Amino acid sequence: MPKQVDYEERRLRIAEAVCALIARSGMEAVSLRDVAAEANVSMGAVQRCFRTKEDMLLFALEHISRRVSERAGRRIAEASAHQAASTLLSHTLAELALLDEESRTQAHVWTAFATRATASQKLATVLHDTYTKLHDLVAWLIRYGQDTREIPGHLDPDHEARSLLALADGLTVQVLAGHHGPAVARAVLQRHIDRLLGSASGAH
Amino acid sequence: MPKQVDYEERRLRIAEAVCALIARSGMEAVSLRDVAAEANVSMGAVQRCFRTKEDMLLFALEHISRRVSERAGRRIAEASAHQAASTLLSHTLAELALLDEESRTQAHVWTAFATRATASQKLATVLHDTYTKLHDLVAWLIRYGQDTREIPGHLDPDHEARSLLALADGLTVQVLAGHHGPAVARAVLQRHIDRLLGSASGAH
DNA sequence: GCTTTTTCGATGCGATCGCATCACATCGTG
DNA sequence: CACGATGTGATGCGATCGCATCGAAAAAGC
């Protein structure tokens, strides 16, 4: 057999390059040539890994989705035993809102795909699956908080999860647009959660 | 003088065509030729009205921004005397979230620009100005609700406005992505406002 | 060690892009 | 009424796009 390369590793490397380019100059600035240059591979290699450009973008989206949900899942798996459900919830949501400076790239990519997904069925499917996964995770967290009596039991976990995820998404976009900094976004999120926890007394 | 045309009318018509194209197939599918065809003018006319493509997009964004904020402002101007502050607030937010079926186009365009603005300073400026305007409007509504004793006075109007706008933005994106329908989004928004109104008693 | 097979990376191609150019139509004016 | 200025719309141009093609390099089998 001829020269063998690790295809999976190369695909990941290309996906990273795609994300870097999207974060730097937007999704419409992503061309096969630029991707190849960014990933330090030849253009032919890119075409070998992905049949079409759309396949490449789809893989990049799946890559990012996996990264985001895995990161959130890992945080929960690590910390669920030692932390209160409320702090776990707030940390997880802050992470899902991609507010960390090192998550800025992922936030860029995420919103870019979310926008484009309105015109591409395949992207929409991937995005929808990820969203469902995150929804279930947050809803589970809320139920967990209800079990530990931190969150009032009369609240509907699914509804609150939808609300929290929508808030997180909105904050992500607004922080990216520069409407306010990550600190403000974190404060808004925390406030929302505080009101969730003490649904019978407004925090001041 | 030779044949005179109404430039402003033509610019608006082209802007509408741009928005229609964005809503139909996304922002990267907008070319000068397609815009000209959609607006039923020649390509030369488009180039006469706008020096570059970026100018054209910028004008379209300003057009949409104006439409959105004017619509919200008009609703308030019309109804502020006859309605409770709470219903006014909820209707205004629902409108800002662009949940109506006929606002779907504007929602598409809005998110497309919001995404692209992360890579274009000029677009970001327009977006930021509009956001500030909407924030002031919502904060004013909250203060108004506090005056009428419908909203607890200890809440910070600016903070609550940020939270509401972020929620509205997130819901806009999620509805566009098909994660849930406008009815669910409206319910989430209403629930948030209800909790705002009765900050001392959780809604059931 | 030569052949064969398979992968790699560079180049070519048709299409389309944004923008510039130009002949023509149109209307006020000397 | 003829002239000239001005706006119009079609066409040209260079660049770049995604994708297909092809020669060269590399490793397994005899």
Side-chain angles (χ1 to χ4, degrees):
Chain A
M1 258 188 295
K3 179 164 62 173
Q4 281 285 28
V5 299
D6 185 344
Y7 270 77
E8 205 50 38
E9 186 271 343
R10 174 166 290 185
R11 288 163 79 93
L12 287 179
R13 174 148 113 185
I14 291 175
E16 294 283 351
V18 170
C19 294
L21 279 177
I22 290 178
R24 190 184 314 147
S25 356
M27 165 147 273
E28 59 276 332
V30 173
S31 73
L32 295 186
R33 287 166 177 84
D34 291 346
V35 169
E38 176 79 20
N40 270 113
V41 300
S42 78
M43 200 175 135
V46 175
Q47 293 184 256
R48 178 159 321 278
C49 286
F50 304 103
R51 206 172 52 80
T52 69
K53 183 184 182 182
E54 192 187 349
D55 285 353
M56 181 182 73
L57 293 178
L58 200 62
F59 182 85
L61 171 59
E62 287 167 347
H63 175 59
I64 279 284
S65 296
R66 202 161 24 235
R67 285 273 280 255
V68 171
S69 52
E70 272 180 4
R71 195 153 54 114
R74 192 174 344 116
R75 173 182 283 275
I76 291 178
E78 285 174 0
S80 66
H82 324 83
Q83 297 186 1
S86 63
T87 62
L88 193 54
L89 187 62
S90 98
H91 284 173
T92 304
L93 260 295
E95 196 154 274
L96 287 183
L98 302 172
L99 298 175
D100 319 323
E101 190 56 40
E102 66 265 27
S103 305
R104 251 189 103 82
T105 298
Q106 293 183 20
H108 266 110
V109 177
W110 185 260
T111 59
F113 275 118
T115 301
R116 191 183 182 104
T118 63
S120 161
Q121 187 53 53
K122 290 184 181 177
L123 289 184
T125 301
V126 176
L127 222 56
H128 187 79
D129 288 351
T130 305
Y131 173 79
T132 301
K133 209 178 301 180
L134 294 183
H135 172 91
D136 290 346
L137 189 142
V138 173
W140 183 90
L141 271 179
I142 293 176
R143 265 186 275 267
Y144 175 69
Q146 288 177 326
D147 287 346
T148 66
R149 305 278 181 190
E150 293 176 72
I151 298 176
H154 63 79
L155 297 176
D156 175 14
D158 283 321
H159 178 92
E160 300 303 332
R162 272 193 288 269
S163 184
L164 278 168
L165 276 179
L167 189 63
D169 270 7
L171 287 173
T172 302
V173 173
Q174 295 190 356
V175 168
L176 272 189
H179 295 157
H180 33 250
V184 172
R186 238 180 284 269
V188 170
L189 212 47
Q190 189 59 51
R191 186 88 159 218
H192 187 100
I193 293 177
D194 284 346
R195 196 169 295 163
L196 196 71
L197 295 177
S199 251
S201 75
H204 69 279
Chain B
M1 258 188 294
K3 181 164 62 173
Q4 280 286 26
V5 299
D6 185 345
Y7 270 76
E8 204 51 37
E9 186 270 342
R10 173 166 292 185
R11 287 163 80 94
L12 287 179
R13 173 146 113 190
I14 292 175
E16 294 283 351
V18 170
C19 294
L21 279 177
I22 291 178
R24 191 183 313 147
S25 358
M27 165 148 273
E28 58 276 332
V30 173
S31 74
L32 294 187
R33 287 166 178 83
D34 291 347
V35 169
E38 176 79 19
N40 270 113
V41 299
S42 77
M43 201 175 135
V46 176
Q47 293 184 259
R48 179 157 318 277
C49 285
F50 303 103
R51 208 173 51 79
T52 69
K53 183 184 183 181
E54 191 187 350
D55 285 352
M56 181 182 74
L57 294 178
L58 199 62
F59 182 85
L61 172 57
E62 288 168 347
H63 175 59
I64 278 285
S65 297
R66 203 160 25 233
R67 284 274 280 257
V68 171
S69 51
E70 272 179 5
R71 196 153 55 114
R74 191 172 345 114
R75 172 181 283 275
I76 291 178
E78 285 174 2
S80 65
H82 324 83
Q83 298 187 359
S86 62
T87 63
L88 193 54
L89 186 63
S90 100
H91 285 172
T92 303
L93 259 295
E95 196 155 274
L96 286 184
L98 303 172
L99 298 176
D100 319 322
E101 189 55 41
E102 66 264 26
S103 304
R104 251 188 103 82
T105 298
Q106 292 184 22
H108 266 110
V109 176
W110 185 260
T111 58
F113 274 118
T115 302
R116 181 175 254 242
T118 62
S120 161
Q121 187 53 52
K122 290 183 182 178
L123 290 183
T125 302
V126 175
L127 223 57
H128 187 79
D129 288 351
T130 304
Y131 174 78
T132 302
K133 209 178 300 178
L134 294 183
H135 173 91
D136 291 346
L137 189 141
V138 173
W140 183 89
L141 271 180
I142 293 176
R143 264 184 277 269
Y144 175 68
Q146 289 178 324
D147 288 344
T148 66
R149 306 278 180 191
E150 293 176 73
I151 298 176
H154 64 79
L155 298 177
D156 176 14
D158 283 321
H159 178 92
E160 299 304 333
R162 272 193 288 270
S163 184
L164 278 168
L165 276 178
L167 189 62
D169 270 7
L171 287 174
T172 301
V173 173
Q174 295 190 355
V175 168
L176 271 188
H179 294 157
H180 32 250
V184 173
R186 237 181 286 269
V188 170
L189 210 47
Q190 190 60 50
R191 184 89 163 218
H192 186 101
I193 293 177
D194 284 345
R195 195 170 296 164
L196 194 71
L197 295 178
S199 251
S201 74
H204 72 285

